[in-house]
Amino acid sequence: MTITVNPISGDLWQPTISVNGTVSDPSYSVWVNGVEATVDGGGNWGADNVPITDGGTACFDVVANGSSSVTQSLEIDKPPTVIVNQYSDQWTDIETYSDGSHFSVGASKNYTM
């Protein structure tokens, strides 16, 4: 009995992701991090909305249940990312009149996410 996990693509910093692979016996049920996968007659399986662990490593526990149980665990380091939690916006508008005089108006604002 074997179970495989295809390379995982997508943003590992999101709360959930889709995971898929194959199982050598399509009569087995497959679960990923507690989410039941759909298994087709050829042994291909897929699970959507699989929760991703917090922190810098995404951990996945894949379990195939049938006449026996097979578990495969994998850990993937999450890539570095920049998370903006605050930024500032500042602008100035300079108005010029036909007589050559001018004035400026400016504003700034801080945004917190």
Side-chain angles (χ1 to χ4, degrees):
M1 172 62 188
T2 58
I3 186 167
T4 64
V5 179
N6 293 334
I8 296 174
S9 62
D11 185 353
L12 294 174
W13 291 101
Q14 294 299 312
T16 63
I17 198 164
S18 295
V19 181
N20 56 59
T22 61
V23 61
S24 61
D25 185 341
S27 69
Y28 275 56
S29 63
V30 176
W31 295 77
V32 185
N33 289 3
V35 174
E36 186 172 14
T38 302
V39 182
D40 70 16
N44 298 298
W45 61 264
D48 294 326
N49 299 314
V50 174
I52 299 176
T53 53
D54 291 333
T57 303
C59 300
F60 299 94
D61 289 322
V62 182
V63 179
N65 290 311
S67 59
S68 62
S69 289
V70 176
T71 301
Q72 179 172 342
S73 297
L74 61 126
E75 296 180 353
I76 303 170
D77 288 334
K78 296 178 183 180
T81 188
V82 175
I83 299 172
V84 176
N85 58 17
Q86 184 175 356
Y87 71 94
S88 297
D89 186 17
Q90 187 173 10
W91 59 270
T92 302
D93 184 21
I94 300 173
E95 297 289 333
T96 303
Y97 294 108
S98 59
D99 66 0
S101 64
H102 64 273
F103 73 96
S104 63
V105 176
S108 65
K109 183 170 182 177
N110 289 322
Y111 299 89
T112 301
M113 310 307 223

XYZ file of all heavy atoms in Angstrom:
836
model
N 0.855 -1.180 0.000
C 0.000 0.000 0.000
C 0.887 1.226 0.000
O 1.754 1.381 0.855
C -0.893 -0.034 1.241
C -1.694 1.191 1.469
S -2.817 1.452 0.108
C -3.422 3.029 0.507
N 0.694 2.103 -0.958
C 1.477 3.339 -1.011
C 0.544 4.521 -1.212
O -0.519 4.402 -1.815
C 2.510 3.319 -2.162
O 1.830 3.130 -3.391
C 3.539 2.217 -1.970
N 0.981 5.633 -0.691
C 0.268 6.895 -0.897
C 1.313 7.939 -1.260
O 2.402 7.962 -0.684
C -0.550 7.308 0.341
C -1.397 8.539 0.040
C 0.320 7.508 1.554
C -2.454 8.818 1.075
N 1.003 8.749 -2.249
C 1.922 9.811 -2.651
C 1.227 11.160 -2.540
O -0.003 11.243 -2.590
C 2.415 9.627 -4.100
O 1.298 9.749 -4.977
C 3.096 8.278 -4.294
N 2.036 12.196 -2.411
C 1.549 13.572 -2.396
C 2.250 14.304 -3.531
O 3.479 14.288 -3.612
C 1.846 14.267 -1.047
C 1.360 15.700 -1.069
C 1.230 13.496 0.111
N 1.468 14.901 -4.417
C 2.048 15.682 -5.508
C 2.665 16.961 -4.948
O 2.287 17.411 -3.858
C 0.981 16.024 -6.543
C 0.477 14.797 -7.274
O 1.176 13.802 -7.401
N -0.754 14.858 -7.743
N 3.628 17.552 -5.673
C 4.191 18.829 -5.212
C 3.083 19.836 -4.934
O 2.138 19.972 -5.723
C 5.076 19.275 -6.384
C 5.451 18.000 -7.072
C 4.231 17.105 -6.931
N 3.179 20.496 -3.829
C 2.148 21.438 -3.408
C 2.489 22.813 -3.961
O 3.589 23.316 -3.756
C 2.026 21.461 -1.872
C 1.559 20.079 -1.404
C 1.086 22.557 -1.416
C 1.520 19.908 0.079
N 1.528 23.385 -4.677
C 1.725 24.730 -5.207
C 0.672 25.639 -4.609
O -0.399 25.197 -4.207
C 1.635 24.728 -6.733
O 0.349 24.312 -7.144
N 0.979 26.886 -4.537
C 0.062 27.853 -3.944
C 0.749 28.582 -2.808
O 1.901 28.308 -2.463
N 0.041 29.495 -2.235
C 0.575 30.342 -1.173
C 0.446 29.631 0.168
O -0.653 29.491 0.705
C -0.175 31.671 -1.162
C 0.390 32.670 -0.173
O 1.289 32.306 0.623
O -0.065 33.822 -0.182
N 1.562 29.176 0.710
C 1.551 28.449 1.977
C 1.291 29.353 3.174
O 1.181 28.862 4.296
C 2.872 27.692 2.165
C 3.115 26.561 1.167
C 4.512 25.980 1.348
C 2.063 25.489 1.311
N 1.192 30.658 2.963
C 0.865 31.583 4.046
C -0.637 31.778 4.181
O -1.111 32.415 5.118
C 1.577 32.924 3.851
C 3.052 32.800 4.052
C 4.004 32.711 3.077
C 3.756 32.709 5.290
N 5.245 32.578 3.632
C 5.133 32.581 4.997
C 3.358 32.717 6.627
C 6.102 32.467 5.983
C 4.338 32.610 7.605
C 5.690 32.486 7.284
N -1.417 31.251 3.247
C -2.870 31.327 3.343
C -3.366 30.307 4.374
O -2.652 29.362 4.705
C -3.503 31.050 1.977
C -3.192 32.103 0.939
C -3.713 33.467 1.344
O -4.852 33.620 1.756
N -2.853 34.480 1.239
N -4.583 30.456 4.879
C -5.063 29.523 5.905
C -5.362 28.123 5.379
O -5.295 27.153 6.128
C -6.329 30.190 6.452
C -6.716 31.214 5.448
C -5.482 31.581 4.674
N -5.706 27.997 4.069
C -5.993 26.677 3.497
C -5.381 26.570 2.107
O -5.041 27.579 1.478
C -7.506 26.414 3.388
O -8.083 27.365 2.494
C -8.186 26.485 4.754
N -5.294 25.317 1.625
C -4.707 25.057 0.309
C -5.288 23.751 -0.216
O -5.842 22.959 0.546
C -3.168 24.993 0.410
C -2.501 25.177 -0.949
C -2.717 23.699 1.079
C -1.026 25.513 -0.853
N -5.155 23.496 -1.514
C -5.554 22.223 -2.112
C -4.342 21.296 -2.164
O -3.231 21.738 -2.465
C -6.106 22.425 -3.519
O -7.298 23.176 -3.469
N -4.567 20.021 -1.865
C -3.502 19.011 -1.860
C -4.022 17.802 -2.629
O -5.201 17.447 -2.513
C -3.124 18.602 -0.416
C -1.999 17.582 -0.412
C -2.729 19.820 0.412
N -3.141 17.163 -3.428
C -3.573 15.973 -4.166
C -2.424 14.998 -4.330
O -1.273 15.317 -4.048
C -4.179 16.372 -5.517
C -3.235 17.207 -6.349
O -2.135 16.775 -6.665
N -3.645 18.412 -6.689
N -2.750 13.797 -4.788
C -1.745 12.756 -4.978
C -2.396 11.477 -5.460
O -3.462 11.500 -6.088
N -1.776 10.350 -5.140
C -2.306 9.048 -5.540
C -2.258 8.085 -4.357
O -1.461 8.246 -3.438
C -1.492 8.435 -6.701
O -0.144 8.243 -6.278
C -1.525 9.318 -7.938
N -3.124 7.084 -4.432
C -3.142 5.994 -3.458
C -3.229 4.702 -4.270
O -3.963 4.632 -5.257
C -4.313 6.148 -2.450
C -5.654 6.124 -3.131
C -4.239 5.126 -1.341
N -2.426 3.701 -3.894
C -2.345 2.480 -4.711
C -3.626 1.651 -4.667
O -3.881 0.864 -5.573
C -1.148 1.621 -4.287
O -1.275 1.224 -2.935
N -4.446 1.811 -3.648
C -5.718 1.090 -3.553
C -6.840 2.118 -3.464
O -7.043 2.746 -2.423
C -5.726 0.186 -2.325
C -6.971 -0.679 -2.225
O -7.982 -0.352 -2.881
O -6.939 -1.678 -1.482
N -7.580 2.335 -4.565
C -8.599 3.377 -4.572
C -9.789 3.103 -3.650
O -10.650 3.962 -3.486
C -9.046 3.456 -6.034
C -8.557 2.231 -6.689
C -7.426 1.698 -5.873
N -9.840 1.931 -3.020
C -10.915 1.670 -2.064
C -10.625 2.313 -0.710
O -11.511 2.392 0.136
C -11.132 0.157 -1.888
O -10.032 -0.432 -1.219
N -9.406 2.777 -0.517
C -9.029 3.437 0.734
C -9.564 4.866 0.748
O -9.644 5.527 -0.294
C -7.506 3.489 0.879
C -6.887 2.251 1.472
C -7.098 0.998 0.914
C -6.072 2.336 2.589
C -6.527 -0.139 1.460
C -5.487 1.212 3.151
C -5.727 -0.032 2.575
O -5.159 -1.151 3.129
N -9.920 5.346 1.926
C -10.254 6.761 2.076
C -8.963 7.508 2.418
O -8.064 6.955 3.040
C -11.304 6.972 3.166
O -10.808 6.561 4.420
N -8.883 8.759 1.980
C -7.681 9.569 2.211
C -8.092 10.831 2.954
O -9.092 11.475 2.612
C -6.979 9.927 0.886
C -5.786 10.846 1.122
C -6.536 8.658 0.158
N -7.314 11.171 3.963
C -7.549 12.369 4.772
C -6.265 13.177 4.818
O -5.172 12.618 4.931
C -7.953 11.976 6.191
C -9.264 11.256 6.257
C -9.506 9.944 5.940
C -10.514 11.812 6.635
N -10.822 9.649 6.099
C -11.476 10.781 6.540
C -10.914 13.068 7.049
C -12.807 10.986 6.837
C -12.249 13.269 7.354
C -13.181 12.234 7.249
N -6.384 14.503 4.724
C -5.227 15.397 4.814
C -5.529 16.443 5.877
O -6.492 17.203 5.747
C -4.929 16.101 3.474
C -3.652 16.927 3.574
C -4.845 15.102 2.340
N -4.736 16.442 6.930
C -4.929 17.390 8.045
C -6.397 17.436 8.488
O -6.948 18.486 8.775
C -4.447 18.794 7.681
C -2.934 18.884 7.586
O -2.233 17.902 7.736
N -2.428 20.075 7.330
N -7.021 16.274 8.519
C -8.394 16.176 8.997
C -9.468 16.425 7.959
O -10.657 16.366 8.268
N -9.087 16.698 6.706
C -10.053 16.945 5.633
C -10.089 15.715 4.730
O -9.051 15.255 4.249
C -9.662 18.196 4.805
C -10.579 18.372 3.609
C -9.665 19.434 5.692
N -11.303 15.185 4.501
C -11.426 14.006 3.646
C -11.244 14.384 2.184
O -11.845 15.346 1.690
C -12.773 13.318 3.841
C -12.865 12.011 3.079
C -14.105 11.198 3.403
O -15.048 11.749 4.023
O -14.128 10.016 3.033
N -10.412 13.607 1.500
C -10.164 13.821 0.075
C -11.158 13.011 -0.749
O -11.730 12.028 -0.281
C -8.737 13.397 -0.268
N -11.329 13.414 -1.989
C -12.101 12.645 -2.960
C -11.123 11.727 -3.683
O -10.080 12.175 -4.159
C -12.777 13.590 -3.972
O -13.612 14.500 -3.258
C -13.593 12.824 -4.979
N -11.451 10.427 -3.749
C -10.589 9.440 -4.413
C -11.341 8.891 -5.616
O -12.476 8.428 -5.481
C -10.218 8.284 -3.452
C -9.296 7.290 -4.145
C -9.587 8.813 -2.165
N -10.710 8.948 -6.805
C -11.368 8.395 -7.988
C -10.979 6.922 -8.170
O -10.160 6.383 -7.430
C -11.085 9.233 -9.240
C -9.645 9.147 -9.743
O -8.892 8.229 -9.346
O -9.266 10.014 -10.566
N -11.567 6.266 -9.165
C -11.333 4.843 -9.400
C -9.909 4.494 -9.780
O -9.494 3.340 -9.660
N -9.139 5.484 -10.224
C -7.746 5.243 -10.595
C -6.771 5.467 -9.448
O -5.564 5.325 -9.615
N -7.288 5.851 -8.287
C -6.422 6.085 -7.132
C -5.929 7.514 -7.007
O -5.129 7.817 -6.123
N -6.404 8.400 -7.867
C -6.042 9.819 -7.729
C -6.925 10.425 -6.648
O -8.129 10.177 -6.609
C -6.255 10.559 -9.047
C -5.389 10.007 -10.141
O -4.174 10.041 -10.060
N -6.027 9.476 -11.173
N -6.330 11.216 -5.784
C -7.117 11.849 -4.725
C -6.823 13.343 -4.687
O -5.766 13.798 -5.128
C -6.854 11.194 -3.357
C -5.426 11.281 -2.874
C -4.458 10.339 -3.013
C -4.829 12.373 -2.186
N -3.288 10.776 -2.462
C -3.481 12.020 -1.939
C -5.278 13.608 -1.750
C -2.600 12.879 -1.282
C -4.396 14.450 -1.093
C -3.075 14.080 -0.865
N -7.781 14.092 -4.154
C -7.616 15.529 -4.011
C -8.450 16.036 -2.851
O -9.562 15.551 -2.608
N -7.907 16.971 -2.119
C -8.601 17.585 -0.977
C -8.467 19.095 -1.088
O -7.367 19.611 -1.286
C -8.022 17.092 0.342
N -9.588 19.789 -0.957
C -9.600 21.252 -0.982
C -9.773 21.787 0.433
O -10.259 21.076 1.319
C -10.743 21.765 -1.863
C -10.541 21.409 -3.329
O -9.383 21.386 -3.785
O -11.557 21.147 -4.007
N -9.396 23.023 0.621
C -9.543 23.705 1.916
C -8.835 22.973 3.052
O -9.356 22.879 4.164
C -11.023 23.936 2.250
C -11.699 24.803 1.212
O -11.164 25.832 0.817
N -12.853 24.387 0.739
N -7.640 22.458 2.755
C -6.835 21.785 3.772
C -6.168 22.855 4.628
O -5.477 23.734 4.099
C -5.767 20.878 3.123
C -4.834 20.288 4.166
C -6.436 19.789 2.297
N -6.369 22.821 5.949
C -5.757 23.849 6.794
C -4.236 23.733 6.805
O -3.682 22.634 6.786
C -6.347 23.573 8.180
C -6.857 22.181 8.132
C -7.158 21.865 6.711
N -3.591 24.892 6.815
C -2.133 24.958 6.861
C -1.721 25.389 8.267
O -2.319 26.291 8.847
C -1.592 25.962 5.822
C -1.992 25.519 4.410
C -0.080 26.110 5.927
C -1.596 26.497 3.330
N -0.711 24.741 8.795
C -0.233 25.064 10.136
C 0.370 26.462 10.180
O 0.874 26.976 9.190
C 0.818 24.042 10.599
O 1.847 23.954 9.596
C 0.211 22.661 10.784
N 0.292 27.082 11.355
C 0.894 28.400 11.567
C 2.410 28.266 11.614
O 2.956 27.177 11.718
C 0.400 29.008 12.881
C -1.069 29.391 12.821
O -1.564 29.681 11.711
O -1.712 29.411 13.884
N 3.088 29.393 11.583
C 4.543 29.396 11.697
C 5.206 29.280 10.346
O 4.569 29.328 9.301
N 6.511 29.099 10.363
C 7.314 29.106 9.154
C 7.374 27.798 8.408
O 8.003 27.700 7.360
N 6.729 26.745 8.923
C 6.724 25.445 8.260
C 5.289 24.970 8.093
O 4.512 24.980 9.043
C 7.512 24.403 9.079
O 8.848 24.882 9.272
C 7.566 23.073 8.373
N 4.946 24.559 6.879
C 3.628 23.982 6.617
C 3.741 22.474 6.792
O 4.583 21.835 6.169
C 3.173 24.319 5.205
N 2.925 21.907 7.673
C 2.950 20.471 7.951
C 1.673 19.825 7.425
O 0.577 20.349 7.630
C 3.066 20.211 9.451
S 4.547 20.904 10.187
N 1.830 18.692 6.748
C 0.700 17.960 6.200
C 0.792 16.502 6.631
O 1.819 15.856 6.433
C 0.681 18.044 4.668
C 0.552 19.447 4.151
C 1.674 20.187 3.820
C -0.691 20.035 4.020
C 1.567 21.488 3.358
C -0.816 21.341 3.556
C 0.314 22.063 3.224
N -0.281 15.997 7.235
C -0.390 14.582 7.588
C -1.433 13.973 6.667
O -2.606 14.356 6.690
C -0.810 14.407 9.051
C 0.292 14.800 10.017
O 1.470 14.524 9.719
O -0.020 15.404 11.058
N -0.995 13.024 5.836
C -1.863 12.361 4.876
C -2.072 10.938 5.364
O -1.106 10.204 5.583
C -1.236 12.365 3.467
C -2.182 11.722 2.462
C -0.877 13.785 3.049
N -3.341 10.546 5.559
C -3.660 9.220 6.091
C -4.588 8.517 5.114
O -5.594 9.083 4.681
C -4.349 9.326 7.475
C -4.692 7.945 8.008
C -3.482 10.099 8.454
N -4.230 7.273 4.754
C -5.091 6.423 3.931
C -5.625 5.316 4.828
O -4.855 4.612 5.487
C -4.305 5.841 2.767
N -6.955 5.200 4.889
C -7.598 4.195 5.729
C -8.326 3.180 4.868
O -9.075 3.537 3.972
C -8.617 4.850 6.677
C -7.941 5.680 7.738
O -7.022 5.232 8.395
N -8.406 6.913 7.906
N -8.088 1.909 5.175
C -8.766 0.804 4.495
C -8.620 -0.407 5.383
O -8.892 -0.346 6.578
N -8.143 -1.519 4.820
C -7.908 -2.712 5.634
C -6.751 -2.491 6.603
O -6.599 -3.213 7.578
C -7.631 -3.923 4.742
O -6.501 -3.672 3.919
N -5.952 -1.471 6.333
C -4.894 -1.019 7.240
C -4.810 0.497 7.085
O -5.527 1.090 6.296
C -3.554 -1.689 6.909
O -3.139 -1.329 5.607
N -3.954 1.125 7.828
C -3.763 2.570 7.713
C -2.330 2.874 7.330
O -1.401 2.232 7.819
C -4.088 3.272 9.029
O -5.468 3.251 9.267
N -2.180 3.827 6.444
C -0.865 4.284 6.019
C -0.836 5.792 6.220
O -1.778 6.492 5.851
C -0.601 3.942 4.541
C 0.726 4.515 4.075
C -0.660 2.449 4.319
N 0.231 6.293 6.818
C 0.360 7.727 7.059
C 1.636 8.235 6.413
O 2.681 7.599 6.497
C 0.411 8.028 8.570
O -0.783 7.538 9.175
C 0.533 9.509 8.835
N 1.520 9.367 5.764
C 2.695 10.055 5.237
C 2.648 11.479 5.750
O 1.622 12.146 5.647
C 2.718 10.044 3.713
C 3.929 10.772 3.154
C 4.065 10.597 1.658
O 3.489 9.714 1.061
N 4.840 11.463 1.061
N 3.731 11.926 6.330
C 3.822 13.304 6.828
C 4.881 14.045 6.041
O 5.912 13.467 5.686
C 4.184 13.312 8.314
O 3.166 12.699 9.064
N 4.609 15.299 5.768
C 5.628 16.110 5.119
C 5.600 17.506 5.680
O 4.579 17.985 6.158
C 5.457 16.116 3.596
C 4.176 16.664 3.017
C 4.511 17.742 2.004
C 3.443 15.544 2.330
N 6.759 18.125 5.661
C 6.929 19.492 6.129
C 7.569 20.301 5.019
O 8.530 19.853 4.408
C 7.803 19.533 7.378
C 7.196 18.831 8.571
C 8.087 18.878 9.802
O 9.249 19.338 9.704
O 7.611 18.455 10.865
N 7.026 21.473 4.778
C 7.544 22.349 3.734
C 7.826 23.704 4.374
O 6.942 24.301 4.988
C 6.523 22.521 2.589
C 6.145 21.158 2.010
C 7.074 23.442 1.515
C 4.971 21.218 1.058
N 9.066 24.173 4.239
C 9.384 25.511 4.730
C 8.645 26.534 3.888
O 8.668 26.481 2.661
C 10.895 25.784 4.655
C 11.683 25.000 5.686
O 11.097 24.646 6.734
O 12.872 24.748 5.453
N 7.983 27.436 4.567
C 7.273 28.496 3.856
C 8.288 29.520 3.350
O 9.249 29.840 4.052
C 6.260 29.173 4.778
C 5.148 28.246 5.229
C 4.200 28.957 6.167
C 3.121 28.032 6.690
N 2.199 28.731 7.607
N 8.090 30.021 2.129
C 9.045 31.005 1.602
C 8.920 32.324 2.357
O 7.861 32.646 2.899
C 8.614 31.161 0.149
C 7.175 30.797 0.141
C 7.010 29.743 1.201
N 10.013 33.078 2.402
C 9.934 34.393 3.045
C 8.906 35.259 2.331
O 8.704 35.146 1.128
C 11.337 34.984 2.882
C 12.198 33.888 2.385
C 11.316 32.814 1.847
N 8.280 36.126 3.088
C 7.294 37.027 2.512
C 7.308 38.334 3.289
O 7.739 38.369 4.437
C 5.886 36.398 2.523
O 5.002 37.236 1.792
C 5.362 36.208 3.921
N 6.865 39.382 2.649
C 6.747 40.679 3.308
C 5.277 40.911 3.599
O 4.435 40.826 2.706
C 7.287 41.820 2.404
C 7.041 43.171 3.052
C 8.756 41.603 2.126
N 4.984 41.173 4.842
C 3.611 41.438 5.255
C 3.540 42.887 5.717
O 4.236 43.277 6.648
C 3.177 40.493 6.380
C 3.239 39.051 5.882
C 1.777 40.851 6.867
C 3.016 38.022 6.952
N 2.739 43.687 5.032
C 2.598 45.096 5.372
C 1.478 45.221 6.396
O 0.356 44.799 6.141
C 2.273 45.942 4.128
C 2.035 47.394 4.504
C 3.380 45.805 3.102
N 1.798 45.765 7.553
C 0.747 45.958 8.542
C 0.485 47.437 8.809
O -0.423 47.779 9.530
C 1.039 45.204 9.839
C 2.345 45.607 10.475
O 2.892 46.644 10.157
N 2.840 44.777 11.360
N 1.334 48.316 8.232
C 1.093 49.749 8.348
C 1.834 50.455 7.216
O 2.947 50.072 6.855
C 1.597 50.289 9.691
C 1.289 51.758 9.887
C 1.680 52.250 11.274
O 2.114 51.481 12.112
N 1.529 53.524 11.501
N 1.193 51.459 6.643
C 1.879 52.274 5.648
C 1.319 53.689 5.705
O 0.254 53.932 6.247
C 1.773 51.677 4.242
C 0.404 51.745 3.612
C 0.073 52.808 2.767
C -0.536 50.763 3.836
C -1.170 52.880 2.175
C -1.789 50.821 3.248
C -2.098 51.876 2.421
O -3.324 51.938 1.831
N 2.076 54.627 5.145
C 1.682 56.035 5.141
C 1.491 56.500 3.710
O 2.188 56.064 2.799
C 2.763 56.900 5.799
O 2.921 56.541 7.143
N 0.550 57.385 3.535
C 0.281 57.984 2.237
C 0.360 59.497 2.413
O -0.230 60.046 3.336
C -1.114 57.567 1.764
C -1.415 58.042 0.357
O -0.473 58.405 -0.372
O -2.604 58.046 -0.022
N 1.135 60.165 1.552
C 1.293 61.609 1.676
C 1.255 62.222 0.280
O 1.836 61.668 -0.657
C 2.623 61.928 2.354
C 2.810 63.377 2.667
C 4.068 63.607 3.494
O 4.880 62.713 3.673
N 4.224 64.803 3.983
N 0.575 63.370 0.146
C 0.509 64.034 -1.144
C 0.435 65.536 -0.947
O 0.042 66.022 0.098
C -0.681 63.540 -1.960
C -2.015 63.743 -1.289
C -2.658 62.883 -0.453
C -2.861 64.897 -1.380
N -3.837 63.413 -0.025
C -3.992 64.658 -0.579
C -2.768 66.106 -2.051
C -5.028 65.579 -0.436
C -3.790 67.027 -1.922
C -4.917 66.756 -1.127
N 0.853 66.232 -1.993
C 0.762 67.699 -2.018
C 0.230 68.103 -3.379
O 0.687 67.615 -4.407
C 2.150 68.350 -1.792
O 2.675 67.903 -0.546
C 2.058 69.860 -1.791
N -0.725 69.022 -3.384
C -1.306 69.539 -4.620
C -0.963 71.018 -4.690
O -1.298 71.779 -3.787
C -2.818 69.322 -4.604
C -3.470 69.747 -5.904
O -2.758 69.823 -6.927
O -4.690 69.997 -5.898
N -0.283 71.450 -5.745
C 0.081 72.861 -5.917
C -0.807 73.447 -7.006
O -0.823 72.972 -8.137
C 1.564 73.021 -6.285
C 2.439 72.437 -5.171
C 1.899 74.480 -6.555
C 3.902 72.401 -5.502
N -1.549 74.470 -6.640
C -2.438 75.157 -7.581
C -1.783 76.477 -7.983
O -1.264 77.207 -7.148
C -3.790 75.453 -6.922
C -4.556 74.215 -6.506
C -5.103 73.455 -7.695
O -5.349 74.068 -8.756
O -5.279 72.230 -7.567
N -1.819 76.797 -9.284
C -1.268 78.054 -9.788
C -2.391 78.834 -10.478
O -3.097 78.294 -11.328
C -0.128 77.796 -10.794
O 0.863 77.005 -10.153
C 0.487 79.095 -11.270
N -2.517 80.102 -10.071
C -3.538 80.968 -10.675
C -2.968 81.648 -11.903
O -1.752 81.695 -12.121
C -4.010 82.008 -9.656
C -4.741 81.383 -8.484
C -4.146 81.332 -7.226
C -6.015 80.860 -8.644
C -4.816 80.762 -6.153
C -6.689 80.295 -7.578
C -6.091 80.248 -6.339
O -6.744 79.686 -5.285
N -3.845 82.246 -12.706
C -3.419 82.907 -13.943
C -2.513 84.104 -13.670
O -1.725 84.496 -14.520
C -4.638 83.340 -14.770
O -5.451 84.230 -14.024
N -2.590 84.700 -12.484
C -1.711 85.840 -12.166
C -0.342 85.376 -11.660
O 0.494 86.171 -11.281
C -2.370 86.763 -11.147
C -2.553 86.120 -9.779
O -2.158 84.941 -9.604
O -3.096 86.791 -8.888
N -0.115 84.059 -11.665
C 1.186 83.530 -11.241
C 1.254 83.166 -9.777
O 2.223 82.544 -9.340
N 0.286 83.584 -9.000
C 0.317 83.197 -7.584
C -0.107 81.734 -7.448
O -0.756 81.165 -8.335
C -0.602 84.113 -6.771
O -1.942 83.944 -7.187
N 0.301 81.147 -6.366
C -0.050 79.740 -6.167
C -0.203 79.438 -4.669
O 0.215 80.215 -3.823
C 0.991 78.820 -6.799
C 2.336 78.931 -6.176
N 3.253 79.865 -6.590
C 2.918 78.238 -5.172
C 4.348 79.734 -5.852
N 4.164 78.764 -4.988
N -0.784 78.333 -4.413
C -0.869 77.829 -3.048
C -0.805 76.300 -3.105
O -1.017 75.693 -4.138
C -2.142 78.306 -2.343
C -3.398 77.642 -2.830
C -3.918 76.546 -2.166
C -4.068 78.125 -3.945
C -5.069 75.936 -2.616
C -5.226 77.529 -4.392
C -5.734 76.417 -3.723
N -0.465 75.704 -2.007
C -0.384 74.247 -1.972
C -1.265 73.706 -0.860
O -1.460 74.332 0.176
C 1.060 73.775 -1.788
O 1.552 74.210 -0.549
N -1.783 72.552 -1.107
C -2.599 71.832 -0.138
C -1.993 70.434 -0.030
O -1.681 69.799 -1.019
C -4.065 71.723 -0.606
C -4.875 70.888 0.369
C -4.660 73.094 -0.796
N -1.794 69.987 1.173
C -1.217 68.655 1.372
C -1.951 67.898 2.439
O -2.662 68.478 3.264
N -1.765 66.629 2.432
C -2.378 65.780 3.448
C -1.553 64.521 3.591
O -0.800 64.137 2.698
C -3.812 65.437 3.075
N -1.683 63.896 4.727
C -1.056 62.601 4.934
C -1.966 61.760 5.793
O -2.798 62.282 6.544
C 0.330 62.747 5.574
O 0.204 63.291 6.871
N -1.816 60.470 5.650
C -2.644 59.567 6.439
C -1.872 58.270 6.679
O -1.162 57.802 5.795
C -3.949 59.252 5.699
C -4.880 58.378 6.517
C -6.244 58.286 5.891
C -7.131 57.443 6.796
N -8.480 57.338 6.338
N -1.997 57.733 7.865
C -1.399 56.447 8.195
C -2.490 55.384 8.170
O -3.590 55.596 8.653
C -0.755 56.479 9.598
C 0.487 57.317 9.627
O 1.256 57.308 8.676
N 0.685 58.059 10.693
N -2.168 54.251 7.592
C -3.102 53.133 7.503
C -2.532 51.954 8.298
O -1.365 51.622 8.165
C -3.294 52.700 6.051
C -3.869 53.784 5.168
C -3.030 54.677 4.504
C -5.229 53.918 5.016
C -3.543 55.670 3.695
C -5.761 54.900 4.193
C -4.918 55.774 3.541
O -5.437 56.750 2.738
N -3.356 51.361 9.105
C -2.953 50.170 9.840
C -3.842 49.021 9.377
O -5.067 49.162 9.348
C -3.093 50.369 11.360
O -2.276 51.472 11.740
C -2.656 49.134 12.114
N -3.234 47.914 9.029
C -4.000 46.764 8.545
C -4.493 45.943 9.703
O -3.928 45.806 10.697
C -3.152 45.885 7.645
C -2.446 46.650 6.558
S -3.588 47.623 5.670
C -3.107 47.370 4.040
